[in-house]
């Protein structure tokens, strides 16, 4: 391979690099645009549900998240949880702010932004947590009905046992 062929080969590779770099930069801009839209949607959803959230908090309902088991909050909807479960992300209804709560430091709270939630890849969890508030009363009613049914069955069973003594 002579010098001219080496230069043209190098030039082709550089052109490929430039195309890849252009594609990367354009995709990065698109990622930032989508993140901005996610932030806006999360904030708009919370604002739209604020009257319902106020009502639930006023009536002392615990907020739960469908994906996080028995984790409960009195402050507002649970938006996310770190893998090691040190930080719980929530919407504080009373303060109307996003917070993270450190479960390993006496539940100390820190203000955060919607972008923090998005950058932690918690958008879907956050939306599910906020939207689940619409299901809370149904969930509580289902749970109390199950408890009631189980108690009735136990009472009937032991009443029968008692009557057969």
């Amino acid at each position: 391979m002579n010098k001219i062929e080496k230069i043209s080969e190098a030039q082709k590779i550089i052109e490929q690099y430039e195309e890849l770099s252009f594609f990367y930069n354009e995709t990065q801009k698109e990622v930032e645009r989508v993140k901005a839209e996610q932030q806006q949607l999360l904030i708009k959803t919370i604002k739209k549900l604020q009257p319902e959230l106020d009502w639930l908090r006023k009536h002392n309902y615990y907020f739960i998240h469908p994906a996080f088991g028995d984790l409960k909050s009195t402050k507002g909807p649970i938006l996310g949880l770190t893998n090691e479960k040190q930080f719980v992300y929530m919407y504080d209804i009373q303060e109307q702010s996003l917070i993270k709560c450190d479960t390993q430091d006496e539940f100390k709270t820190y203000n955060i932004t919607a972008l923090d939630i998005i950058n932690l890849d918690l958008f879907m969890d956050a939306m599910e947590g906020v939207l689940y508030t619409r299901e809370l009363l149904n969930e509580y009613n289902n749970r109390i009905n199950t408890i009631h049914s189980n108690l009735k069955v136990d009472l009937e069973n032991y009443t029968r046992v008692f009557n057969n003594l």
Side-chain angles (χ1 to χ4, degrees):
M1 199 180 278
N2 63 35
K3 261 187 171 176
I4 295 174
E5 288 176 345
K6 285 183 180 177
I7 291 172
S8 66
E9 175 88 17
Q11 188 61 37
K12 286 179 185 178
I13 292 172
I14 289 170
E15 287 173 10
Q16 287 177 338
Y17 286 171
E18 287 175 356
E19 287 176 25
L20 291 171
S21 177
F22 176 79
F23 176 77
Y24 178 87
N25 290 333
E26 289 301 308
T27 305
Q28 184 63 34
K29 288 176 191 173
E30 182 64 18
V31 165
E32 296 305 317
R33 185 190 65 73
V34 171
K35 284 183 175 184
E37 286 182 26
Q38 287 179 337
Q39 288 178 71
Q40 292 304 313
L41 182 59
L42 177 59
I43 292 166
K44 288 190 311 189
T45 303
I46 290 170
K47 285 182 179 178
K48 188 170 189 169
L49 295 177
Q50 186 68 42
E52 297 169 37
L53 299 174
D54 289 332
W55 187 93
L56 289 165
R57 187 170 192 282
K58 179 182 169 189
H59 289 87
N60 298 317
Y61 282 97
Y62 285 104
F63 293 85
I64 56 178
H65 191 288
F68 303 136
D70 291 334
L71 188 63
K72 299 178 196 175
S73 165
T74 57
K75 289 187 175 285
I78 298 169
L79 308 178
L81 184 64
T82 55
N83 288 339
E84 69 281 353
K85 298 181 181 176
Q86 178 178 358
F87 293 106
V88 179
Y89 296 86
M90 296 177 240
Y91 174 67
D92 185 327
I93 295 168
Q94 187 172 352
E95 299 297 322
Q96 295 188 9
S97 64
L98 299 170
I99 60 171
K100 74 176 178 180
C101 180
D102 189 342
T103 62
Q104 296 176 4
D105 187 10
E106 299 180 2
F107 292 91
K108 186 174 180 182
T109 60
Y110 303 89
N111 288 327
I112 59 168
T113 66
L115 183 58
D116 294 328
I117 290 171
I118 304 306
N119 285 337
L120 290 165
D121 293 325
L122 295 174
F123 175 70
M124 283 182 29
D125 286 340
M127 290 300 293
E128 288 175 17
V130 171
L131 295 172
Y132 193 67
T133 58
R134 288 237 165 135
E135 301 298 321
L136 273 180
L137 291 179
N138 287 333
E139 178 66 25
Y140 279 116
N141 283 330
N142 289 339
R143 287 181 181 190
I144 197 70
N145 281 335
T146 300
I147 290 168
H148 177 253
S149 295
N150 289 342
L151 289 172
K152 275 179 59 175
V153 166
D154 290 346
L155 179 62
E156 290 168 3
N157 287 340
Y158 285 103
T159 299
R160 218 175 306 132
V161 167
F162 173 79
N163 289 335
N164 290 330
L165 288 178

